[in-house]
Amino acid sequence: MENILEVTGLCRSLGDFSLQDVSFSLPRGTIMGLVGENGAGKTTIIRLILGGLAPDRGEIRLLGEDPRRAPAQVKERLGVVTDECCFYESLRPRDVACILRPLYSHWDDGLFGKYLRQFSLPENKTVKEFSKGMKMKLSIAAALSHHPELLILDEATSGLDPIVRDEILDIFLEFIQDETRGVLLSSHIVSDLEKTADYITFLHHGQVKFSEEKDLLLERYGVLRCGVQELEALNPSDRAAARETRFGASLLVPDREKAAQKYPGFVIDRARIEDIMLYMVKGEKQ
Amino acid sequence: MKGLLIKDLLVLKRYGRTLGFLVLFYGVFSMLGNSTAALVSMITVVLAMTVVTSFAYDEQARWDRYVCALPVKREQVVAAKYLLGLLLVGAGLLISLLLGVLGTLLRPQAEGREILLPAMLGNFIIVLLLLALTLPLIYRFGVKKSRILFLVAMALIGGAVAASASILSDGTALEFLQQGRWNVLLLIAPVAALLAYALSYRVSCRIYAKKEL
């Protein structure tokens, strides 16, 4: 399937921080979760994708175009929500429509109004009077109301309560029903991504640890539990990462079934996405 | 670009009340004090500098990041600000003209009404030059640092005005004026100021094109 977004070998340094050789691609009709701790480089990647920053090396194809050279019209097909609400405190939702209407040729007042009602956002209150969740909903309503093809969300669900988060995630799932669209969702809340994402790209210290189909990850990876002594006996190539606790050791195995055949006596559980990430990060430290 | 201009005007609306108060204050003040020229210059300068305020609001809302997502070119973002500057300068001149005329009607014997138009013209030029200096500085250094640089710019322009005044008081300039060349100067100066403003736009575009957002 054609990719709506492609990032290849992206490098960029910013002060102490650097993105190194970041690659991933987002096929149409899917949601990609970009996950990583604060400061892992998620926002930097999004700034690069939007053309705000120039890469040192590497290539980005945003809807088939280089974002630094593409005509401004490409952005008409893009909806973006940043981690902070960029609408000024004195504006009201109807002002937001006044600003965006002339900017987008496909701006849809009816749709915007529908989202405002769905999110229970009062049209005549100022952004200042909104709660954090309401501000985020306003940003999302604004990002969706010109019928974009690609939705890019930077930490759009963090800082929101679970009910609002769930409501918002459902909107993304509804958005993706149209198979020509795509969503890039950055977050440090793994459970949100586990719920919605089709692909997961895990970023750690500016590097991609893995970028894979979520179901494949869940199907393949496992957590094997054993005693500390037994850990030594296992073949190092079978373990992606290990953790020792007071009660024994546990390790992440990249192929659950293979590990089960090889080490029949051990308990091997399914790994959650969070497990995979934690083991990989902790394993690296050891 | 229209959307960007609408954004600035909507955001500045909340600043409108403060501006209205300032205009009223200066209006009353100048009518009491017979100083039409001061009225014109204050109102125009205050309105023109509202552009700087709009940059401060932009920074506060981290608007630059959002602009990257919008279907506008960077030069359009700059153009919208320069257009806003012209609009505000125009509004400032219009308001001071109205107040000046009102003042003349209320106090026909007051001094200084014959200098209302030259004062407006002078202010148009000075304010345009001020903006032409300030806007690229803001794009390069941000609002906070530019405030200090702005004061320096003010001093420089003040110095230039004083210097040209002293040149004008010397013989050749006087002769030039006596020969009735005023009209030429009246025509050239505003056009030159507009050209400087246009040049400043190009410089700002270049700075903004390289800026990391």
Side-chain angles (χ1 to χ4, degrees):
Chain A
M1 206 186 303
E2 188 205 349
N3 292 322
I4 198 164
L5 174 68
E6 260 180 52
V7 174
T8 328
L10 199 62
C11 298
R12 167 74 212 220
S13 48
L14 270 178
D16 301 340
F17 172 79
S18 67
L19 274 185
Q20 292 153 45
D21 198 24
V22 169
S23 302
F24 61 86
S25 46
L26 171 62
R28 285 183 191 270
T30 62
I31 298 182
M32 160 82 73
L34 192 59
V35 66
E37 72 277 10
N38 290 327
K42 303 185 294 280
T43 301
T44 308
I45 291 182
I46 289 175
R47 287 171 71 188
L48 286 158
I49 291 173
L50 295 180
L53 285 180
D56 294 336
R57 252 178 302 132
E59 201 190 14
I60 298 168
R61 305 307 275 171
L62 172 71
L63 296 151
E65 308 253 15
D66 176 349
R68 299 281 290 181
R69 296 210 188 89
Q73 284 76 13
V74 171
K75 305 252 172 94
E76 288 225 18
R77 296 152 62 196
L78 195 66
V80 176
V81 178
T82 52
D83 52 346
E84 278 173 80
C85 179
C86 286
F87 296 117
Y88 305 71
E89 290 194 329
S90 62
L91 297 181
R92 302 156 210 272
R94 57 160 190 213
D95 296 333
V96 171
C98 284
I99 294 167
L100 297 178
R101 194 179 302 127
L103 289 174
Y104 290 101
S105 49
H106 299 294
W107 178 261
D108 187 339
D109 273 318
L111 189 61
F112 187 63
K114 192 198 115 194
Y115 281 124
L116 292 186
R117 283 189 299 278
Q118 189 179 342
F119 294 153
S120 330
L121 293 173
E123 260 190 77
N124 288 321
K125 273 197 174 175
T126 58
V127 169
K128 199 177 176 175
E129 298 166 82
F130 282 7
S131 68
K132 197 167 177 191
M134 286 162 90
K135 283 183 193 166
M136 201 44 86
K137 285 176 174 175
L138 175 64
S139 302
I140 291 169
L144 285 172
S145 295
H146 58 276
H147 302 282
E149 278 171 55
L150 174 60
L151 201 55
I152 295 182
L153 305 119
D154 191 6
E155 296 282 1
T157 53
S158 28
L160 304 182
D161 64 73
I163 296 165
V164 175
R165 260 180 21 225
D166 209 56
E167 222 179 310
I168 288 175
L169 293 177
D170 282 340
I171 289 180
F172 301 155
L173 289 172
E174 188 191 307
F175 176 80
I176 210 71
Q177 289 308 306
D178 181 337
E179 298 267 306
T180 61
R181 292 168 166 179
V183 179
L184 179 69
L185 177 63
S186 104
S187 180
H188 63 264
I189 304 171
V190 187
S191 61
D192 282 356
L193 300 179
E194 217 156 12
K195 187 182 170 206
T196 46
D198 302 294
Y199 290 86
I200 294 201
T201 298
F202 173 40
L203 209 62
H204 181 58
H205 291 326
Q207 283 176 308
V208 172
K209 287 282 160 194
F210 60 79
S211 178
E212 293 219 48
E213 220 173 305
K214 180 186 74 186
D215 291 340
L216 221 63
L217 287 167
L218 293 175
E219 205 176 290
R220 279 210 325 249
Y221 278 89
V223 178
L224 183 147
R225 296 175 208 285
C226 61
V228 180
Q229 291 84 5
E230 289 164 312
L231 188 66
E232 306 299 324
L234 301 178
N235 189 341
S237 69
D238 288 332
R239 55 187 201 207
R243 274 166 98 181
E244 287 178 33
T245 62
R246 274 194 299 155
F247 310 105
S250 56
L251 55 126
L252 184 73
V253 289
D255 194 325
R256 205 170 64 231
E257 282 180 17
K258 230 164 93 182
Q261 283 168 11
K262 213 163 170 183
Y263 310 110
F266 295 106
V267 178
I268 304 177
D269 295 327
R270 282 175 172 270
R272 294 170 305 147
I273 300 293
E274 198 157 337
D275 293 326
I276 304 175
M277 289 169 47
L278 284 176
Y279 276 90
M280 280 187 171
V281 172
K282 295 258 163 82
E284 188 184 68
K285 275 184 190 154
Q286 285 164 7
Chain B
M1 198 175 79
K2 197 173 138 205
L4 296 175
L5 202 57
I6 291 175
K7 183 267 299 174
D8 277 332
L9 293 174
L10 282 171
V11 170
L12 288 177
K13 214 167 65 178
R14 106 173 139 170
Y15 194 58
R17 205 184 293 165
T18 322
L19 275 181
F21 177 75
L22 270 177
V23 166
L24 194 75
F25 176 76
Y26 284 123
V28 171
F29 186 71
S30 67
M31 277 179 201
L32 290 176
N34 274 348
S35 155
T36 320
L39 163 80
V40 173
S41 50
M42 278 324 292
I43 289 177
T44 328
V45 169
V46 166
L47 265 158
M49 285 309 125
T50 310
V51 183
V52 179
T53 312
S54 87
F55 276 99
Y57 285 146
D58 284 353
E59 278 184 14
Q60 206 183 344
R62 299 183 58 180
W63 176 258
D64 272 350
R65 287 276 174 91
Y66 190 67
V67 151
C68 285
L70 296 175
V72 284
K73 285 196 193 121
R74 289 198 181 191
E75 55 218 62
Q76 288 177 304
V77 177
V78 178
K81 283 289 186 217
Y82 275 78
L83 211 57
L84 178 74
L86 281 182
L87 276 180
L88 287 169
V89 170
L93 290 176
L94 196 68
I95 293 172
S96 43
L97 178 68
L98 288 176
L99 283 175
V101 169
L102 190 72
T104 330
L105 290 176
L106 287 177
R107 306 179 59 179
Q109 74 287 4
E111 292 169 22
R113 59 178 163 155
E114 63 286 346
I115 65 154
L116 180 63
L117 284 178
M120 280 177 64
L121 187 74
N123 262 284
F124 173 72
I125 294 162
I126 288 172
V127 159
L128 223 52
L129 289 178
L130 262 181
L131 283 180
L133 265 174
T134 317
L135 295 183
L137 289 177
I138 293 180
Y139 277 115
R140 178 70 183 80
F141 299 107
V143 175
K144 252 191 218 155
K145 280 189 202 157
S146 301
R147 285 233 167 96
I148 302 160
L149 292 166
F150 169 70
L151 290 178
V152 177
M154 280 280 262
L156 281 177
I157 290 183
V161 169
S164 49
S166 72
I167 292 168
L168 284 176
S169 65
D170 123 311
T172 45
L174 210 62
E175 204 176 303
F176 178 80
L177 294 179
Q178 277 164 350
Q179 283 168 354
R181 302 266 175 84
W182 250 121
N183 295 335
V184 182
L185 200 67
L186 281 181
L187 206 67
I188 290 174
V191 173
L194 277 171
L195 280 177
Y197 196 64
L199 184 72
S200 160
Y201 163 70
R202 294 307 314 167
V203 173
S204 291
C205 279
R206 284 199 140 179
I207 296 171
Y208 198 58
K210 287 186 197 139
K211 200 165 181 177
E212 305 202 315
L213 305 176

